[in-house]
Amino acid sequence: MTDALAGRIEELMPRAKSDLAALVAIPSVADPRQYPPERCREAAEWVAAAFTEAGLHDVHLEETPDGSHAVIGHRPPPPGAPTVLLYCHYDVQPPLDDEAWTSPPFELTERDGRWYGRGTADCKGNIVMHLTALRALGEDIPVGLKLVAEGSEEQGTGGLEQYVPPHAGELHADALLVCDTGNAAVGVPTATTTLRGLANVVVSVRALKGDVHSGMFGGPAPDALAALVRILDSLRDEAGGTRIDGLDCEGTWAGVGYDEAQFRTDAGVLDGVALTGTGSVADRLWARPAVTVLGIDCPPVVGSAAAVPGAARARVSLRVPPGTEPGAARDALSAHLRAAAPWGVQVEVETESTGSPFEAATGGPAYGALDTAMREVYGKPMSFLGQGGSIPLCNVLARTFPSAEIILMGVEEPRCLIHAPNESVDPEEIRHMAHVEALFLQNYAKAARS
């Protein structure tokens, strides 16, 4: 049966490529300031039609509280079979810098054995993975299915998170496949079991009533930008590791590691530049808080005047691992920023957003069925991986469906460069993970009957 299933998936790969090309061609960026909202609806309607053709029932668009549309559908379970919810999202990150792309961001391009384009991995590649698995099974889908394809995940506006609790009855399932992550590396079968939460703040510094001439007042006049730089520098130790008063920054990771040389390649670290912090790469990525200065408002180099800045501000993001409450992390970050202010400058810290970390329970029958499927496809046992990013929906799902098993998996891996220019996917990961998903559905149904 496994060989026959693998053969059907192999036959479906040309269709997977054409489907992905059609999806990538739709610039479904869920930000009306950048792209017309009609393009997101176009993508949603494409997804609805594709899953209808793949065997789901009553696939339709539901408007969520942030104005985006979720694609919802279902397929009833055979008698005595469990139900699995399939999650994905069809919106994508903006391409950022078009000139940094080697090929057009909204045109699927094959190069060096990979498929390039915005959304090829995150998350349109996972949509195609779902479709390929279901088409390979045909009418022999052994479980009930529910579909949720989100339309604003990348914007973080929370439409689906608000939609889920009042619609818990129609979305309830025994296992939830949240397909917005992927393997530790190509060919390494992996389930993501932890997600970092976040606390984002904006810190504003004021030192003068306004900018003043640097020739007339520079020296004694306190420089707000220099003060901000000192404040931000206090968030790291000499090795560059995050150090925030009141937060444990010494956690260790017990799952699969992340080779340092591979990390340097994946992250594009320049020759001669050291990684920041101490401990293993996995410790720093998945088990410890990590601070990032996302942006600074200050005079630009081009057009700047000979003036002492009177005010400056920065957007600061703090990623927090499971075991750290995001509200407490935000409070610690805010207190640290205020305490680090030099020269009596005025500091205001405004909370932008918070999100809770997530940790999956991995001992249930769904995880057993997934491990069996991954062993059959990849020839090796499933690894557990942390994820540095945040998926707030996972916490909503965990609260809404406390008895359901939540599995994070998919076609993404470090070389995909999600969110960056030249995003790509390895088509072999689509083929293998579609096979894994189809086998999982079969294995999970058998486990429920035994």
Side-chain angles (χ1 to χ4, degrees):
M1 179 63 181
T2 298
D3 291 342
L5 194 59
R8 288 198 292 273
I9 289 171
E10 184 65 34
E11 292 172 358
L12 286 164
M13 285 305 294
R15 186 171 186 184
K17 184 178 182 180
S18 63
D19 281 351
L20 190 56
L23 270 173
V24 167
I26 305 172
S28 48
V29 177
D31 183 351
R33 300 169 298 180
Q34 301 183 66
Y35 288 86
E38 293 79 13
R39 304 313 302 272
C40 280
R41 187 174 185 99
E42 180 185 351
E45 290 172 347
W46 190 100
V47 170
F51 277 93
T52 298
E53 184 272 337
L56 270 66
H57 303 170
D58 187 29
V59 186
H60 62 284
L61 275 57
E62 286 279 355
E63 185 171 350
T64 69
D66 68 356
S68 66
H69 289 90
V71 183
I72 305 293
H74 76 281
R75 181 185 176 98
T83 295
V84 177
L85 183 143
L86 307 179
Y87 168 88
C88 50
H89 66 83
Y90 62 82
D91 69 305
V92 298
Q93 283 282 331
L96 302 176
D97 181 3
D98 283 3
E99 294 184 359
W101 285 78
T102 304
S103 51
F106 294 114
E107 179 181 315
L108 189 73
T109 305
E110 186 169 359
R111 189 167 64 252
D112 300 323
R114 297 181 69 90
W115 296 344
Y116 286 79
R118 177 55 90 219
T120 49
D122 183 22
C123 177
K124 291 174 177 178
N126 287 311
I127 294 174
V128 171
M129 177 194 74
H130 283 319
L131 290 170
T132 304
L134 297 182
R135 288 169 179 157
L137 290 169
E139 289 301 313
D140 296 324
I141 298 175
V143 298
L145 294 175
K146 294 187 179 178
L147 169 71
V148 178
E150 188 174 5
S152 60
E153 193 275 341
E154 298 293 5
Q155 294 302 313
T157 45
L160 189 60
E161 288 101 281
Q162 298 172 66
Y163 178 87
V164 166
H167 297 86
E170 67 188 81
L171 298 176
H172 179 269
D174 302 289
L176 316 178
L177 292 189
V178 179
C179 293
D180 192 19
T181 63
N183 290 338
V186 172
V188 180
T190 311
T192 298
T193 57
T194 68
L195 300 169
R196 289 195 290 196
L198 61 84
N200 284 2
V201 302
V202 174
V203 54
S204 301
V205 175
R206 295 194 64 85
L208 304 168
K209 292 181 179 179
D211 297 352
V212 296
H213 193 284
S214 60
M216 296 178 64
F217 298 101
D223 180 333
L225 180 55
L228 177 62
V229 168
R230 285 202 175 188
I231 292 170
L232 298 177
D233 181 62
S234 75
L235 296 170
R236 293 180 178 271
D237 60 21
E238 287 298 316
T242 296
R243 287 293 179 269
I244 295 172
D245 296 338
L247 282 187
D248 178 7
C249 297
E250 300 295 337
T252 56
W253 173 250
V256 64
Y258 198 153
D259 177 73
E260 183 169 328
Q262 186 62 51
F263 176 83
R264 292 182 66 89
T265 298
D266 295 339
V269 180
L270 299 178
D271 291 344
V273 177
L275 301 186
T276 51
T278 57
S280 73
V281 170
D283 292 342
R284 287 172 270 177
L285 272 179
W286 306 320
R288 298 176 182 177
V291 71
T292 303
V293 180
L294 300 179
I296 295 179
D297 285 342
C298 61
V301 172
V302 177
S304 57
V308 179
R313 66 175 187 163
R315 185 179 180 220
V316 180
S317 177
L318 179 65
R319 299 283 183 169
V320 296
T324 301
E325 200 279 318
R330 173 206 57 207
D331 292 345
L333 174 61
S334 299
H336 183 110
L337 292 168
R338 292 189 181 96
W343 319 319
V345 296
Q346 298 176 6
V347 175
E348 179 181 347
V349 182
E350 176 187 358
T351 299
E352 184 181 69
S353 60
T354 60
S356 296
F358 170 80
E359 186 167 13
T362 60
Y367 272 89
L370 182 64
D371 179 51
T372 300
M374 286 185 164
R375 288 173 185 265
E376 289 188 49
V377 173
Y378 285 97
K380 59 187 74 171
M382 175 173 61
S383 298
F384 289 149
L385 184 73
Q387 177 89 318
S390 303
I391 305 178
L393 178 64
C394 287
N395 296 93
V396 175
L397 294 173
R399 290 193 299 269
T400 307
F401 308 116
S403 62
E405 292 185 74
I406 300 177
I407 295 172
L408 288 89
M409 55 177 262
V411 303
E412 301 165 24
E413 37 81 19
R415 291 181 61 196
C416 291
L417 297 180
I418 65 171
H419 294 201
N422 297 307
E423 179 182 351
S424 68
V425 69
D426 187 326
E428 286 299 287
E429 288 294 271
I430 293 179
R431 181 168 70 88
H432 287 143
M433 289 305 297
H435 192 185
V436 165
E437 180 173 341
L439 282 174
F440 163 77
L441 297 177
Q442 293 177 335
N443 295 342
Y444 190 44
K446 292 175 186 176
R449 291 196 298 268
S450 61

